Amino acid sequence: MKKIGIILLMVSLLYGCENELNIKPQGSITDDLLESDSSVLEGFVIAAYAVLDGNLDNADVWRASASNWVYGEVTSDNAYKGSEPNDAQEINQFESYEPLATNSFLNVKWRAVYEGVFRANQAILRVNSSFSNGNIDSNTNDNLTGEALFLRGHYHFEAKKMWNKIPYIDENAAESVPNRVDVWDDIEGDFERAIELLPESSKVGRANSWMAKTYLAKAHMYQLDYDAAKPILDDIINNGPYELTALFSDNFNAEKNNNSESIFAVQFSVNDNSENDSNGRWGDILNFPQTGEAGGGCCGFFQPSQNLVNAFKTDANGLPLLDDFNEVDVTSEEQQFNKFRSENPNFEDSDSDSESYDVTFLPEQGTVDPRLDRTVGRRGIDYQGFGIHKGRSWIRDMSNGGSFLPRKNVHMQSQLKTQSTTGGAWAPNLNQLNYVVIRYAEVLLWRAEIAAAEADLATAVELVDMVRARASNEEDFITQVDSETEVAAPAANYLISGYGSFENQEQAMKAVAHEQRIELAMEGHRFFELVRQNKMIEILGKYLNDEQSKFSDTGLKSFVRRQHLNNVEISIDDEYFPIPQRVIDESNGVVTQN
């Protein structure tokens, strides 16, 4: 949502972001003026949308990024922090499962979500007061109140999955609220009320009843309350307005923002006259190749893990390797380069020596899911139209983040018009690619998860195969022109097929979980999903063991990345992040550490 214009200027005079738990803002605009102008009332709701991106002041927005790339992916088996060890060192704490309550990332994330709560509550108060005084009709009251309730539910949900025991703050709160009770009922109540008040369709980016239904189902799924989630998901699938896009990559294409699969998305825009392009996707600005040659220039963060890349391997039938995908690695620049260097002790990292290494590089020959190269940037594969990924020269520090690059947040070379022209020299990659909070593929896989848990194998395989069928669309395969035949051909050995049927419930449950991972990889969900499904210790414990022991025969165990993962263990205490110490101090002990 735009943060500019006279309406938001008037609203902003009433409050700022100095303390997101303040209840009664002060301002010079009279209540009579506010409550007699429906467009100004709408401005309060738009102001609540405006912090969905986590951008409070254009300062280090990645700490509260809407995509949750730090909290949902770097903390999981999907991604490394990347970049260099000494850059943004606070992220190292998350990667090694030791974030402190004084970590500024947690403080900024808390401020952002509770600023959203605060703004939603202000909208509810103003709109309801205006309706009570006869200044707006019931339809306007319902629509604006429903949107604010939806947003309040979203912001509390974000806090809940981060910190678990949180204060739930409604429009009537007049003092600090304790965090000693579970707030799922309150979050569900906001979405249920929003469903009642909102229409079925809405303006682009604005909440409607289908969005609220989907978020309510998500709240139930996070409690593994399948009985409550199931009828809602069935309603969405059978009667809702959503469908899978024709191409998997359509979901990460700025020209396809708000497509048929996008249920709820944070809206971004650039070159719209906002100061320093503040409406652009600042939260992911670090997550581009280090080289400007690849459309980046900064800063080499958020690199996909080898474990994630391995998860995209398929067997001779085009099916995932559910149990042993991580036993043999998909080819990586990291491994091949270090092997070459160990075999050539006189190697110097000069142009001539690098050429001697380059001719030895062997791309992966095994079969892989085509979604791999729409999720991960690999050497030898075209990268978003900027050319062939050249390997080390495109990586900021391969010893710290490996040799793979993120793709889902990176605009296409053909879409430079969607890139900021004013974002600043150090951040030339600021773009307007929406971040999709919930997309329809996720809904299908939630319903498949329920079916698998109920041993309804026919429904489970039908839904999983719907998602896999879309991924098998050859129009979405990355192609490259063969230097010898001069004919365009798939850039890798892509092979994917549907299951057709599941042999038993165990296979169904594994297949659904694996599909959830590879379909939604690098979208900010993985860590929270593992916690939701009570699999965090099992999955991440194995991942950490593998990371600490793998490649020891080639010396990779001494890499910087493995140094800060060495001897790291995962425990139940790591399911949630510490509440910022600032919050506890300012509440005078009303809010307690989780």
Side-chain angles (χ1 to χ4, degrees):
M1 293 300 154
K2 298 290 188 287
K3 300 177 184 175
I4 57 176
I6 187 63
I7 294 175
L8 289 187
L9 176 62
M10 295 171 69
V11 173
S12 69
L13 292 175
L14 290 176
Y15 58 85
C17 301
E18 293 302 315
N19 186 340
E20 71 283 353
L21 296 181
N22 283 344
I23 303 301
K24 297 180 179 180
Q26 301 298 314
S28 58
I29 301 175
T30 66
D31 288 348
D32 289 344
L33 172 61
L34 290 171
E35 294 181 3
S36 63
D37 190 329
S38 60
S39 63
V40 174
L41 291 171
E42 185 177 24
F44 276 95
V45 177
I46 293 174
Y49 280 103
V51 287
L52 284 172
D53 59 3
N55 189 353
L56 298 176
D57 49 17
N58 266 19
D60 296 354
V61 182
W62 47 87
R63 295 178 293 180
S65 174
S67 71
N68 284 316
W69 65 272
V70 173
Y71 312 111
E73 298 291 350
V74 171
T75 51
S76 78
D77 49 354
N78 277 358
Y80 306 125
K81 183 197 85 170
S83 182
E84 299 173 353
N86 296 326
D87 197 352
Q89 292 184 54
E90 286 175 300
I91 303 178
N92 294 340
Q93 294 181 13
F94 295 98
E95 190 170 23
S96 57
Y97 305 98
E98 53 183 11
L100 302 176
T102 54
N103 190 301
S104 73
F105 278 63
L106 294 172
N107 185 37
V108 174
K109 182 68 173 179
W110 183 284
R111 286 182 58 216
V113 295
Y114 276 101
E115 177 69 20
V117 170
F118 172 71
R119 294 188 185 193
N121 282 331
Q122 287 301 305
I124 292 169
L125 285 170
R126 296 290 179 177
V127 171
N128 291 350
S129 175
S130 180
F131 177 65
S132 297
N133 293 329
N135 294 323
I136 58 173
D137 58 33
S138 60
N139 186 60
T140 300
N141 178 67
D142 287 353
N143 285 346
L144 296 179
T145 301
E147 287 184 88
L149 286 167
F150 173 85
L151 291 169
R152 187 170 74 183
H154 162 74
Y155 289 120
H156 277 115
F157 186 98
E158 281 288 289
K160 174 68 175 172
K161 71 183 186 184
M162 287 280 297
W163 293 287
N164 191 25
K165 291 295 180 68
I166 59 168
Y168 174 85
I169 301 174
D170 66 16
E171 71 274 21
N172 299 311
E175 56 187 16
S176 293
V177 177
N179 64 324
R180 299 181 182 90
V181 297
D182 195 286
V183 300
W184 275 125
D185 287 347
D186 298 299
I187 293 172
E188 291 170 8
D190 279 345
F191 292 134
E192 289 167 349
R193 183 66 177 142
I195 293 169
E196 295 174 358
L197 296 176
L198 290 170
E200 291 191 351
S201 61
S202 58
K203 295 178 182 178
V204 171
R206 304 285 287 271
N208 57 53
S209 61
W210 286 111
M211 293 165 63
K213 286 180 182 180
T214 307
Y215 226 137
L216 178 60
K218 182 172 183 175
H220 290 311
M221 291 299 294
Y222 262 68
Q223 301 166 79
L224 298 183
D225 187 354
Y226 293 158
D227 289 341
K230 180 178 177 179
I232 303 173
L233 294 173
D234 284 341
D235 184 27
I236 296 166
I237 293 170
N238 296 328
N239 305 307
Y242 312 111
E243 62 181 1
L244 294 177
T245 57
L247 306 179
F248 173 71
S249 63
D250 284 347
N251 294 289
F252 322 106
N253 181 335
E255 293 182 353
K256 301 292 181 68
N257 281 345
N258 302 305
N259 57 46
S260 64
E261 191 169 338
S262 176
I263 296 177
F264 174 44
V266 181
Q267 307 290 310
F268 292 106
S269 65
V270 295
N271 307 321
D272 58 4
N273 296 319
S274 61
E275 183 179 358
N276 203 30
D277 263 336
S278 62
N279 297 320
R281 192 167 168 169
W282 277 100
D284 289 271
I285 201 67
L286 303 181
N287 306 332
F288 290 77
Q290 180 68 8
T291 174
E293 184 180 7
C298 181
C299 294
F301 285 78
F302 193 34
Q303 293 183 243
S305 70
Q306 180 73 55
N307 186 287
L308 173 62
V309 172
N310 292 345
F312 286 91
K313 291 191 298 186
T314 58
D315 64 18
N317 297 313
L319 294 175
L321 308 179
L322 299 178
D323 296 312
D324 55 2
F325 67 86
N326 201 42
E327 291 185 4
V328 178
D329 290 324
V330 170
T331 295
S332 75
E333 169 98 339
E334 176 185 14
Q335 295 166 31
Q336 291 202 33
F337 176 67
N338 283 279
K339 182 175 184 295
F340 177 87
R341 190 167 56 180
S342 67
E343 294 172 349
N344 296 270
N346 297 323
F347 174 84
E348 294 183 5
D349 207 359
S350 62
D351 289 342
S352 59
D353 275 9
S354 292
E355 288 179 7
S356 68
Y357 157 68
D358 288 341
V359 298
T360 71
F361 181 83
L362 296 174
E364 174 63 34
Q365 299 300 304
T367 55
V368 294
D369 187 310
R371 285 173 290 186
L372 170 60
D373 291 324
R374 291 298 186 182
T375 304
V376 174
R378 296 191 291 153
R379 174 172 175 158
I381 306 292
D382 179 78
Y383 188 74
Q384 303 296 80
F386 288 98
I388 303 299
H389 183 344
K390 294 183 178 178
R392 289 179 302 131
S393 65
W394 285 19
I395 304 294
R396 184 169 178 182
D397 184 352
M398 194 165 66
S399 70
N400 189 57
S403 49
F404 303 114
L405 292 173
R407 290 188 77 132
K408 287 183 174 179
N409 62 288
V410 178
H411 55 272
M412 300 293 295
Q413 190 277 338
S414 61
Q415 297 173 2
L416 292 181
K417 65 182 179 180
T418 69
Q419 182 182 14
S420 171
T421 58
T422 61
W426 73 272
N429 36 44
L430 183 66
N431 64 37
Q432 65 182 37
L433 175 61
N434 282 356
Y435 171 67
V436 182
V437 180
I438 308 176
R439 58 185 177 93
Y440 187 56
E442 193 173 8
V443 168
L444 295 175
L445 293 174
W446 285 336
R447 184 62 182 88
E449 178 183 330
I450 295 173
E454 295 177 340
D456 179 2
L457 305 189
T459 299
V461 77
E462 177 187 6
L463 295 170
V464 168
D465 280 357
M466 283 177 62
V467 176
R468 294 184 66 77
R470 189 267 297 275
S472 70
N473 188 337
E474 294 185 5
E475 292 183 15
D476 208 23
F477 290 9
I478 294 179
T479 59
Q480 293 169 186
V481 176
D482 186 281
S483 58
E484 296 182 0
T485 65
E486 298 185 353
V487 175
N493 194 359
Y494 301 128
L495 184 63
I496 181 174
S497 65
Y499 287 88
S501 63
F502 290 135
E503 295 178 0
N504 50 48
Q505 185 179 25
E506 180 184 8
Q507 185 197 25
M509 295 178 74
K510 286 182 179 180
V512 171
H514 193 87
E515 201 67 26
Q516 288 171 326
R517 182 186 186 187
I518 60 177
E519 172 70 20
L520 300 163
M522 304 294 282
E523 295 180 41
H525 305 303
R526 177 64 172 171
F527 178 78
F528 302 117
E529 283 288 289
L530 292 175
V531 173
R532 173 181 78 81
Q533 297 174 338
N534 298 317
K535 294 179 179 178
M536 183 199 69
I537 294 177
E538 172 194 351
I539 299 295
L540 296 186
K542 185 177 187 310
Y543 165 70
L544 289 168
N545 286 334
D546 289 346
E547 286 291 293
Q548 292 166 22
S549 61
K550 228 174 190 186
F551 314 133
S552 58
D553 58 335
T554 62
L556 294 184
K557 191 174 181 180
S558 65
F559 270 15
V560 176
R561 183 177 70 251
R562 303 183 199 290
Q563 287 177 359
H564 69 254
L565 289 179
N566 192 34
N567 297 321
V568 171
E569 295 183 358
I570 197 84
S571 73
I572 195 71
D573 292 336
D574 297 310
E575 284 192 330
Y576 300 100
F577 301 101
I579 291 173
Q581 188 61 44
R582 175 193 67 84
V583 174
I584 295 172
D585 293 343
E586 291 185 358
S587 73
N588 293 319
V590 174
V591 176
T592 57
Q593 190 55 265
N594 58 22

